[in-house]
Amino acid sequence: GTLAPCNQLFHIYCFQVDHATPLDVAAFAEAGRRIFVSNGNFSVTSGIAGADTLCAADVQSTPALAGATFLAFLAGNGTSAAERFTSSATPIVRIDGLRVANSFSALTSQDLIHPPSLRPNGTSYDWRVFVGAGGPTTVGTATTSCGGWTNTSSNAGEGFAYSVSFPNGDRQWFGNTSGSCSGHSNAIPVYCLEVEN
């Protein structure tokens, strides 16, 4: 997930290549509280309500999500992303059914099992996502949420949807970096998390 000088030493991945049967992701799918990356990009001046509208539009256009309610998993000026939702023991899963976290508490405090890197139709997304704070339970500020999602003159907390974390505990998927609200950050999506009643 990052660049490094070529004079450093790192581990490499080793994969077995003598199996002829493709991995069937569906065999590992399970039901749970779903999370996805919005199809549309978030206009930072539309407020959290604008982000919620992105999630609602995706639900309306995706038959498999019919009847469910999703909100943006997004911090605002004075609020955290986590406090917008009710905590439960239900597993958090991606659209393809792979488990992201064992529970809401695990989503906000532990390393993820699989990255939340899928759009509503199941296609992958491998870039930045608006989050508005340094962590899921961290309260956003004017300088981490584009002035409370009202202007393009500040910065915003961002995460990488394709990542989970570093060994040191950095939540790469949520709040690992910051970007200008008037730069590339003005054209990226948000996470959408299912609401449990």
Side-chain angles (χ1 to χ4, degrees):
T2 187
L3 296 175
C6 295
N7 63 352
Q8 295 190 30
L9 298 176
F10 294 102
H11 297 283
I12 61 171
Y13 291 117
C14 299
F15 288 94
Q16 188 172 1
V17 297
D18 56 352
H19 276 277
T21 304
L23 177 67
D24 182 7
V25 172
F28 300 92
E30 58 184 314
R33 190 174 184 177
R34 295 163 292 185
I35 188 170
F36 63 82
V37 176
S38 66
N39 276 323
N41 291 328
F42 177 40
S43 172
V44 298
T45 60
S46 66
I48 286 184
D52 289 341
T53 298
L54 284 178
C55 297
D58 286 338
V59 170
Q60 289 183 343
S61 63
T62 308
L65 301 177
T69 301
F70 286 76
L71 296 176
F73 196 63
L74 184 69
N77 187 11
T79 60
S80 71
E83 69 186 75
R84 305 191 70 219
F85 296 85
T86 301
S87 181
S88 76
T90 305
I92 309 295
V93 300
R94 304 189 316 185
I95 294 300
D96 61 1
L98 291 186
R99 187 176 288 210
V100 173
N102 291 326
S103 65
F104 183 81
S105 176
L107 178 73
T108 61
S109 64
Q110 299 176 15
D111 293 347
L112 302 186
I113 299 167
H114 291 98
S117 57
L118 296 185
R119 300 280 200 177
N121 64 2
T123 58
S124 63
Y125 176 79
D126 61 356
W127 190 230
R128 297 172 183 247
V129 176
F130 276 122
V131 293
T137 60
T138 303
V139 171
T141 67
T143 57
T144 64
S145 65
C146 298
W149 308 118
T150 61
N151 65 68
T152 59
S153 62
S154 187
N155 292 319
E158 301 173 354
F160 289 110
Y162 58 81
S163 191
V164 285
S165 71
F166 277 151
N168 66 5
D170 276 348
R171 308 260 174 263
Q172 287 289 298
W173 72 280
F174 195 108
N176 76 302
T177 190
S178 179
S180 168
C181 297
S182 60
H184 73 83
S185 296
N186 213 16
I188 59 175
V190 295
Y191 293 118
C192 299
L193 179 65
E194 190 167 7
V195 174
E196 282 196 335
N197 297 322

